[in-house]
Amino acid sequence: MIRRYIHVLFLLIPFLGIWGQVSDSLVLPQDNTSVLEQRLLNEDLQQKYSGEEFNYDIKDGEAQNLIVRFLNWFFGTLQEKFGINIDPRIFTVLEYLIYALMGALAIYLLVKFLIGENLSSVFTKKSTSLTDINLSEEHIENVDLDALIKDALKQKDFRLAIRYQFLRILKTLSQKSLIDWHFEKTNLDYQNEISAPQIKDHFKEVSYLYDYIWYGEQYIDENGYKAAKHKFVALRNTLE
């Protein structure tokens, strides 16, 4: 049987050779009727594709926060109005610089909060002088605060009266050498100078009340003034 298959195979070999020659001689047709035309790009192509949607160097969509959007708008305006192109590296540096400043501010406020200083006093540290009292030139012990309190109550300016009540507390503390008064010091500075725990707690309470009403610009009527006055009187009685 095997010999028969081999014999058939030898009979087919000549035909396979002929087919290979025919396949090698096939010629593909050529199309000589088509004409190639050169296509030119429009001159306004760069301007057409120069919009923000074609700028793949800038983050888009939900990845953009308010800071990035503002910077994109700002630099886009510079480029559109004045033809100023900003290097993407400068864009990145400004973005991280803003993040750093915001982080530093957050840390500063957090530290102030943790050590017990009111945020209102953080931004108003130098606001210690009054229109009718120049504490930067006159020591608080030389100011007649009782007369000023009566004056404020006569004008029904209860918020200003609270201010004078607090200054009278500082005056008493200074007279008893419990604090070293200075017009640039903050309430937290005075609080840290007081060593007696009971007095320190009372002072912290009236200091918060004073900051809330004066620096917070809270409206206070006569009844509110009388209620707040009890806190100041209690501390003065403790001191005396």
Side-chain angles (χ1 to χ4, degrees), residues 102-233:
M102 292 177 62
L105 178 61
I107 293 174
Y108 174 76
L109 294 178
L110 179 62
V111 170
K112 288 293 184 180
F113 174 77
L114 292 178
I115 63 178
E117 185 171 357
N118 297 324
L119 293 182
S120 60
S121 62
V122 171
F123 298 104
T124 54
K125 181 176 181 181
K126 302 299 182 180
S127 301
T128 52
S129 61
L130 301 174
T131 56
D132 52 343
I133 303 177
N134 191 351
L135 293 179
S136 63
E137 297 179 358
E138 186 173 4
H139 198 281
I140 195 172
E141 295 183 12
N142 300 327
V143 178
D144 188 356
L145 290 167
D146 291 326
L148 292 174
I149 292 174
K150 292 179 181 179
D151 228 16
L153 292 176
K154 185 177 180 180
Q155 299 174 14
K156 296 190 179 298
D157 192 343
F158 301 108
R159 181 169 163 266
L160 183 60
I162 290 293
R163 165 82 167 181
Y164 292 146
Q165 287 282 3
F166 182 75
L167 291 178
R168 186 162 65 173
I169 292 295
L170 293 180
K171 178 180 178 179
T172 304
L173 289 170
S174 178
Q175 288 173 335
K176 294 184 176 298
S177 300
L178 295 177
I179 63 170
D180 182 17
W181 181 85
H182 191 274
F183 75 96
E184 286 189 337
K185 285 187 177 180
T186 65
N187 298 339
L188 182 62
D189 294 330
Y190 296 128
Q191 179 181 319
N192 293 333
E193 291 179 13
I194 300 173
S195 57
Q198 184 180 4
I199 297 176
K200 177 177 288 191
D201 291 339
H202 279 297
F203 179 80
K204 187 176 182 179
E205 187 176 5
V206 298
S207 176
Y208 175 81
L209 189 63
Y210 162 67
D211 282 343
Y212 177 75
I213 295 174
W214 180 255
Y215 290 116
E217 298 183 356
Q218 298 296 320
Y219 170 78
I220 182 172
D221 57 12
E222 185 174 1
N223 292 331
Y225 171 77
K226 290 179 179 179
K229 179 183 175 182
H230 289 304
K231 302 291 184 180
F232 293 95
V233 172

